[in-house]
C-alpha cells in the first residue's frame, strides 16, 4: 500500500455506512430469528421453534419451490427474449445503435409500480387484451383469468426484466472482435455455425450475468404478485411480507428471509464460479 | 562546485505486484547512486523497462524509495510529498488539464501556491511568451497540436521556477521532424533559464544531441555515466557500446599486455586494442568493440599485420556513406562505414572482394561483458 | 450499390419489443385523459379534470415533496460514498479490495425485501421511529452501487497522471482531487446523482416497510391503488411522473456521454 492514510480516508465512509446499514441489519435479523416473539418478554427468549416450524411446514416449501420455478422461468424467458434484441442492436443496428439502446432503457426508469399496475389495464377483464380479442372475434366472452394468475405475474416480470437482461448481453456482444467472425467465415463456417461456435460462446458471460441478475432479485419479488398475482400468483416474498405486515411474527419472517438470503448466496457463488463477476466489473 | 542539485544515494525501488495469491517482487531500480550538478542537462537513457521513468518518479515523489535516500539541494526528500518538492515535471503525454484553458493550466501551480493574481498573470504571460504561444492563452488543450501541447506543458512546469525540471520522454509523441526541432529548442531553453534538467528518453540520438551528461541504465542499474563523447568513444560495457550507436564486437584471447595496449588473438590473427578501465592478463578471454566508422578497409588478398581477413558480403549505399558487411571467420559479420567524402568513389569495393580490416588500437575498447 | 433494404427480422423484433415496453406507459397516459372513473375499455371522452384535481390533493403533494427530499438526500450521500468507493476501486490495490467490491455491489442483486425487513428489525430494536428518512438509509445502500459503477466507468478512462501533474505543481492529493479530478468527472457525478435520484424516487419495495406514517410517493400511490375512484387521479400523476423521469434519464444519458474523455483513435 503506497498511501494507507488516503486509502482509509476514502474507503472509510462507504465501508462504515455499508456495515452499519447493510451488513449489521442482516446480522441483527439473524439474531432475531432465534427469538420467541416480536414484542414483550418473548423477545428475550431463545428458541429454535421458528426454524423447526419452517422446516416442518410443507406449504412453505411448496411456495418456495414454486417461486423458484417461477423465477427460473422468468429469468430464462427474459434471457431468450433479450438475446435477439441485444444481437440486433450489436450487429444490425449500425450507427443508431446507442440511440436504439437508449430507447429500450427509457421505460425501465419510469415508475416500476405504475408500469406493473398498467398491466392490470392490459390483462384485466375489460382490459386491452380482452377488448382486442373480443373485437377480433377470437373469443366471445371477456376472460377474467388473464389477470390474477401465475401467468400474469410471469408476463409482467418478463416485461420488467427484458431490458435489464439485454444490457449485459449487449455489452458482451459489443466486445467481440469482428475479425473473429470474419476468421470463422474464412475458415469455412456458415453464418449460423459462426454464431454457434464463436458468437454464442464469447457472449456467454453476458448471458450468464443477465440471467442471474434477473433470477436472484426475482426470487424475492413481492410487489408484482401483490398487484397482478392475486392468491394464485403469490410468491415466497409475499409470505415474508405477510409475516412482517399482517402476522407480525418477525422472528418467523427473519427465518424465511435468512432462507432466501442463503439461496441468494448460493446462487451468487454459482454465478461467480462461472467466472462472470470479475469480467463484468471490467465493463 | 556547490552541492549537487540532485543526489541519489543507494536508492532501490521494489514493486510488489499481487496477481491472485502470487506476490512477485520486481526490482525497478537497484542501488542507484547519482549526483546531478546544478544547471546540468542530465539524461537517463535506456530501453523501456530499465527503470529510468521510475527513477524520475522517485525524484518527483510519486514513488517512495524502498531503500536509500534522495537529496535535492542537499535536503533529504523521503518525508517530502510531491507537492512540496522543488521540482516540476513535464509528463510523457503532457497531462494538461482538459477542463482548464491554457492560461489556467500554466497558472495552476501558482494558483495552488496562492501567488497573487497580478503576479500570476505576469508570470503566465512571461512563460507563454517564452514558448511562443501567448496568443493561445484562452484555448483548451484539446484545441492545440501535439507540439503546442508539449510547449504548454513545458511552460506550466517552468513558470514555477523549480530547482529541477523533470522531463519524461516529452518529445516521444511528436513526429520526427518536430522532435528534432524541439530538441534544439529545449537545449537552448535550458541554457537560457539555467535550471537543472533531468531528461528521460530511450532515444540515444536524442540523448547525445541534448545532454551534458548521460546515465545509461539497464535492468534497474546505472551502467555508465558520462558526457556524450566519453559514452560514444569509450563505452565501458557491452550494453553501452551496443545501445549507444553501433558497434562491432570481437571475442578473443589476450596474448600480451603492455600498459594500455593489449594484443588479442581473434580468429587466428593478432589484433590490438586498448585496455581502458580493466587491465586484463594474458590468456584471459576478452571482448572488445570497434565502431563501424573506425574500421579501415584495404583490398588485399595478403594478410596485413594486425588486420583481420574478411570477405565483403553486402554493399549498401546510403548517400553520405557506404556500408559494408564483411564476413570474418568465427566472428559475427562486421559492419564498416566508409564516408563518401572527397576522393573516394562510391562503391569502390564490391561484393566478394577479399579485404583486410584494421583499426587504431585506441578505437578498440575492451569491455566488461 | 444502392438497394432498398427490406426491414430485417431483427428490426421488426426490435420495434415489437419497444412497442411492448412503451405500451403500459402510453396506456396510463391515455387513461389519464379519459373522462371516466373506471379504467376500462372502451374509452369515454377527453378530459383534463384529473390533472386539475391533482393540485387539490394535499396528501399527494406532501408525498411528492417527501419523495423529492428523500431522493435528493439519499442520492447526494450515495453519490459521495459511491465516488469514494470508485476512487478506491480504480486507484488502489489492497487486501480486501474484492471483499469491498462484493459487499458494495451486493445490493444490486439482493432482493429488496431482505434489505427492507432487516433494516426494519434493526431500527425497531434500537427504538428508532420510522419515517421517510429511515427509508432513505436503505435507499443509499441500494443506489450506492449504481453511483459507484457510473463513476468507475468514468475513472477507468481517466489518465491518473493528471492528478500527479496537479501534485507536481504543488497541490496536495485532496487538492488535486478537488481541483482536477472532480471537475473533470463532474458530468459523470451528475449522471450518477440522477440515476440514484430516480432509483430512490421510484423505490417502493423497501420504503413500504420503512416509511412509517410518512408515505413517499410510491407508497402513497400504492395505497391509492386499492380505491378504484382514486385511480384516474393516480394515473394522471403517473403520466406526469413518467414524462419527468424520461426527461431526467435522457438528460443524464447525455451528460454521461459528453463527460467521457475523447479517446484517441486507435490505428
Amino acid at each position: 500500500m503506497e498511501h494507507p492514510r488516503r486509502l482509509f480516508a476514502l474507503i472509510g465512509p462507504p465501508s462504515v455506512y455499508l456495515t452499519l446499514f447493510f451488513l449489521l441489519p442482516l446480522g441483527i435479523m439473524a439474531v432475531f430469528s432465534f427469538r420467541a416473539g416480536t414484542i414483550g418478554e418473548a423477545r428475550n427468549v431463545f428458541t429454535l421453534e421458528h426454524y423447526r416450524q419452517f422446516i416442518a411446514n410443507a406449504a412453505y416449501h411448496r411456495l418456495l419451490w414454486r417461486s423458484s420455478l417461477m423465477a427460473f422461468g422468468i429469468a430464462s424467458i427474459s434471457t431468450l427474449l433479450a438475446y435477439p434484441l441485444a444481437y440486433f442492436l450489436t450487429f444490425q443496428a449500425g450507427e443508431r445503435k446507442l440511440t436504439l439502446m437508449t430507447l429500450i432503457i427509457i421505460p425501465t426508469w419510469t415508475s416500476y409500480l405504475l408500469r406493473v399496475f398498467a398491466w392490470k389495464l392490459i390483462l384485466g377483464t375489460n382490459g386491452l387484451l380482452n377488448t382486442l380479442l373480443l373485437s377480433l372475434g377470437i373469443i366471445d366472452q371477456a376472460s377474467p383469468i388473464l389477470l390474477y394468475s401465475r401467468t400474469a405475474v410471469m408476463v409482467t416480470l418478463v416485461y420488467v426484466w427484458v431490458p435489464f437482461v439485454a444490457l449485459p448481453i449487449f455489452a458482451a456482444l459489443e466486445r467481440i472482435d469482428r475479425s473473429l467472425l470474419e476468421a470463422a467465415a474464412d475458415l469455412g463456417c456458415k453464418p449460423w455455425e459462426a454464431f454457434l461456435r464463436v458468437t454464442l460462446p464469447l457472449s456467454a458471460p453476458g448471458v450468464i450475468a443477465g440471467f442471474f441478475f434477473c433470477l436472484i432479485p426475482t426470487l424475492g419479488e413481492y410487489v408484482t404478485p401483490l398487484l397482478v398475482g392475486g392468491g394464485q400468483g403469490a410468491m415466497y416474498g409475499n409470505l415474508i411480507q405477510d409475516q412482517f405486515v399482517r402476522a407480525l411474527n418477525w422472528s418467523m419472517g427473519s427465518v424465511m428471509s435468512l432462507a432466501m438470503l442463503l439461496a441468494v448466496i448460493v446462487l451468487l457463488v454459482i454465478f461467480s464460479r462461472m467466472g462472470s463477476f470479475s469480467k463484468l466489473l471490467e465493463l | 562546485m556547490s552541492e549537487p542539485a540532485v543526489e541519489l544515494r543507494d536508492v532501490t525501488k521494489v514493486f510488489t505486484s499481487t496477481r491472485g495469491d502470487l506476490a512477485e517482487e520486481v526490482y525497478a531500480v537497484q542501488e542507484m547512486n547519482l549526483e546531478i550538478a546544478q544547471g546540468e542537462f542530465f539524461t537517463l537513457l535506456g530501453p523501456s523497462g530499465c527503470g529510468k521513468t521510475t527513477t524520475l518518479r522517485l525524484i518527483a515523489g510519486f514513488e517512495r524509495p524502498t531503500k536509500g535516500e534522495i537529496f535535492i539541494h542537499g535536503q533529504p526528500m523521503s518525508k517530502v510529498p510531491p507537492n512540496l518538492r522543488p521540482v516540476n515535471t513535464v509528463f510523457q503525454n503532457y497531462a494538461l488539464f482538459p477542463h482548464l484553458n491554457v492560461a489556467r493550466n500554466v497558472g495552476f501551480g501558482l494558483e495552488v501556491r496562492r501567488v497573487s493574481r497580478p503576479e500570476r498573470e505576469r508570470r503566465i504571460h512571461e512563460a507563454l511568451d517564452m514558448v511562443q504561444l501567448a496568443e493561445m492563452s484562452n484555448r483548451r488543450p484539446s484545441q492545440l497540436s501535439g507540439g503546442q501541447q508539449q510547449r504548454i506543458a513545458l511552460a506550466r512546469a517552468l513558470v514555477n521556477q523549480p530547482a529541477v525540471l523533470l522531463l519524461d520522454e516529452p518529445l516521444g509523441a511528436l513526429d520526427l521532424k518536430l522532435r528534432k526541432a524541439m530538441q534544439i529548442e529545449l537545449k537552448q531553453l535550458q541554457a537560457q533559464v539555467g535550471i537543472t534538467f533531468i531528461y528521460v528518453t530511450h532515444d540515444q540520438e536524442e540523448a547525445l544531441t541534448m545532454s551534458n551528461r548521460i546515465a545509461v541504465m539497464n535492468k534497474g542499474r546505472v551502467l555508465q555515466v558520462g558526457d556524450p563523447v566519453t559514452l560514444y568513444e569509450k563505452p565501458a560495457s557491452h550494453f553501452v557500446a551496443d545501445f549507444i550507436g553501433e558497434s562491432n564486437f570481437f571475442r578473443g584471447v589476450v596474448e600480451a599486455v603492455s600498459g594500455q595496449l593489449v594484443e588479442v588473438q581473434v580468429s587466428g590473427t593478432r589484433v590490438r586494442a586498448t585496455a581502458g578501465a580493466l587491465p586484463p592478463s594474458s590468456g584471459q578471454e576478452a571482448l572488445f568493440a570497434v565502431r563501424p566508422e573506425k574500421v579501415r578497409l584495404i583490398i588485399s588478398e595478403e594478410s596485413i599485420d594486425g588486420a583481420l581477413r574478411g570477405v565483403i558480403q553486402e554493399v549498401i549505399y546510403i548517400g553520405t556513406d557506404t556500408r559494408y558487411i564483411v564476413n570474418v571467420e568465427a566472428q559475427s559479420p562486421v559492419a564498416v562505414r566508409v564516408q563518401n567524402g572527397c576522393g573516394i568513389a562510391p562503391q569502390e569495393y564490391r561484393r566478394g572482394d577479399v579485404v583486410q580490416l584494421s583499426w587504431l588500437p585506441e578505437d578498440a575498447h575492451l569491455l566488461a561483458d | 450499390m444502392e438497394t432498398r433494404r427490406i426491414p430485417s427480422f431483427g428490426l421488426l423484433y426490435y420495434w415489437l419489443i419497444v412497442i411492448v415496453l412503451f405500451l403500459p406507459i402510453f396506456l396510463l397516459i391515455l387513461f389519464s385523459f379519459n373522462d371516466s372513473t373506471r379504467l376500462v375499455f372502451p374509452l369515454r371522452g377527453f378530459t383534463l379534470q384529473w390533472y386539475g384535481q391533482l393540485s387539490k390533493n394535499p396528501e399527494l403533494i406532501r408525498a411528492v415533496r417527501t419523495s423529492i427530499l428523500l431522493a435528493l438526500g439519499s442520492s447526494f450521500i450515495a453519490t459521495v460514498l459511491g465516488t469514494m468507493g470508485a476512487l478506491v476501486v480504480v486507484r488502489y490495490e489492497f487486501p480486501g479490495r474484492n471483499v469491498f467490491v462484493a459487499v458494495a455491489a451486493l445490493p444490486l442483486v439482493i432482493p429488496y425485501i431482505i434489505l427492507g425487513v432487516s433494516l426494519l428489525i434493526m431500527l425497531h430494536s434500537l427504538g428508532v421511529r420510522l419515517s421517510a428518512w429511515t427509508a432513505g438509509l436503505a435507499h443509499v445502500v441500494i443506489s450506492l452501487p449504481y453511483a459507484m459503477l457510473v463513476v468507475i466507468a468514468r475513472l477507468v478512462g481517466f489518465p491518473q497522471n493528471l492528478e500527479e501533474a496537479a501534485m507536481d505543481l504543488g497541490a496536495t492529493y485532496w487538492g488535486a482531487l478537488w481541483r482536477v479530478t472532480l471537475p473533470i468527472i463532474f458530468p459523470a457525478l451528475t449522471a450518477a446523482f440522477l440515476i440514484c435520484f430516480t432509483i430512490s424516487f421510484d423505490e417502493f419495495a423497501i420504503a413500504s416497510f420503512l416509511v412509517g406514517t410518512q408515505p413517499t410517493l410510491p407508497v402513497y400511490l400504492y395505497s391509492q391503488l386499492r380505491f378504484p375512484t382514486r385511480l384516474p387521479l393516480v394515473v394522471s400523476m403517473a403520466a406526469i411522473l413518467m414524462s419527468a423521469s424520461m426527461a431526467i434519464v435522457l438528460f443524464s444519458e447525455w451528460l454521461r456521454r459528453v463527460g467521457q474523455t475523447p479517446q484517441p483513435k486507435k490505428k
Side-chain angles (χ1 to χ4, degrees), chain B residues 18 57 60 62 82-83 87-89 91 93 95-99 105 108-109 111-113 156-157 160, chain C residues 93 158-159 161-173 175-176 179-181 183-184 261-262:
Chain B
T18 39
R57 292 171 60 81
F62 301 132
N83 50 312
V87 300
N88 285 117
T89 307
F91 290 83
N93 58 0
L96 296 177
F97 304 123
H99 62 305
N105 258 286
F108 190 94
E111 212 178 308
V112 170
R113 296 205 171 93
R156 184 177 72 176
N160 306 293
Chain C
E93 272 293 339
F158 188 91
N161 67 7
L162 287 182
E163 275 159 31
E164 290 185 346
M167 286 194 270
D168 186 73
L169 294 166
T172 60
Y173 176 71
R179 281 165 178 276
V180 174
T181 313
I184 294 174
T261 334

Side-chain angles (χ1 to χ4, degrees), chain A residues 14-205:
Chain A
S15 307
V16 168
Y17 193 96
L18 288 172
T19 308
L20 283 182
F21 299 115
F22 176 41
L23 298 180
L24 185 64
L26 293 178
I28 290 178
M29 183 170 79
V31 174
F32 222 88
S33 67
F34 296 106
R35 286 183 176 167
T38 311
I39 40 170
E41 274 305 297
R43 283 180 64 163
N44 301 322
V45 178
F46 174 88
T47 177
L48 289 171
E49 177 61 18
H50 301 296
Y51 283 92
R52 203 190 56 73
Q53 276 179 26
F54 182 75
I55 291 164
N57 194 332
Y60 293 165
H61 304 164
R62 265 201 308 278
L63 194 54
L64 186 55
W65 177 240
R66 206 174 66 194
S67 301
S68 307
L69 283 184
M70 281 170 77
F72 196 82
I74 290 160
S76 309
I77 297 170
S78 301
T79 310
L80 283 177
L81 288 175
Y83 198 96
L85 188 65
Y87 188 90
F88 163 77
L89 286 169
T90 316
F91 293 107
Q92 292 169 11
E95 287 177 2
R96 299 164 302 164
K97 196 185 307 192
L98 284 177
T99 315
L100 295 184
M101 188 75 211
T102 310
L103 200 56
I104 296 284
I105 298 304
I106 288 171
T108 66
W109 290 107
T110 64
S111 170
Y112 174 79
L113 198 62
L114 292 168
R115 270 183 303 142
V116 171
F117 170 72
W119 277 90
K120 282 175 98 162
L121 307 180
I122 299 173
L123 301 173
T125 312
N126 292 310
L128 184 66
L129 198 57
N130 267 324
T131 312
L132 203 69
L133 293 176
L134 274 174
S135 64
L136 289 174
I138 295 171
I139 54 172
D140 44 47
Q141 208 180 352
S143 158
I145 57 140
L146 288 174
L147 195 59
Y148 302 128
S149 64
R150 234 172 280 166
T151 318
V153 173
M154 290 188 64
V155 167
T156 309
L157 281 174
V158 166
Y159 161 81
V160 166
W161 279 107
V162 163
F164 287 113
V165 178
L167 274 178
I169 301 177
F170 175 72
L173 287 171
E174 274 288 283
R175 246 180 303 171
I176 296 176
D177 188 347
R178 301 306 160 92
S179 62
L180 293 177
L181 298 176
E182 289 166 6
D186 184 67
L187 296 168
C189 278
K190 296 190 187 78
W192 62 270
E193 272 179 319
F195 174 77
L196 284 181
R197 286 168 185 273
V198 180
T199 313
L200 195 58
L202 285 175
S203 62

Side-chain angles (χ1 to χ4, degrees), chain B residues 230-244:
Chain B
T230 312
L231 283 179
Y232 189 83
E233 300 290 341
K234 296 191 173 73
S237 62
H238 184 281
F239 182 84
V240 175
D242 200 25
F243 192 76
I244 296 186

Side-chain angles (χ1 to χ4, degrees), chain B residues 18 87 89 101 173 203 212 217 250 268 271 356:
Chain B
T18 39
V87 300
T89 307
N101 66 20
D203 179 342
N212 298 120
M217 292 184 68
F250 298 95
V271 295
Q356 305 293 327

Side-chain angles (χ1 to χ4, degrees), chain B residues 93-94 96 133 141-153 170-171 173-175 178 182:
Chain B
N93 58 0
Y94 320 135
L96 296 177
L133 285 174
S142 56
Q143 296 169 304
L144 303 179
S145 70
Q148 288 169 333
Q149 290 185 21
Q150 208 281 321
R151 286 160 194 238
I152 297 302
L171 308 181
L174 305 179
D175 63 51
L178 190 55
M182 282 302 295

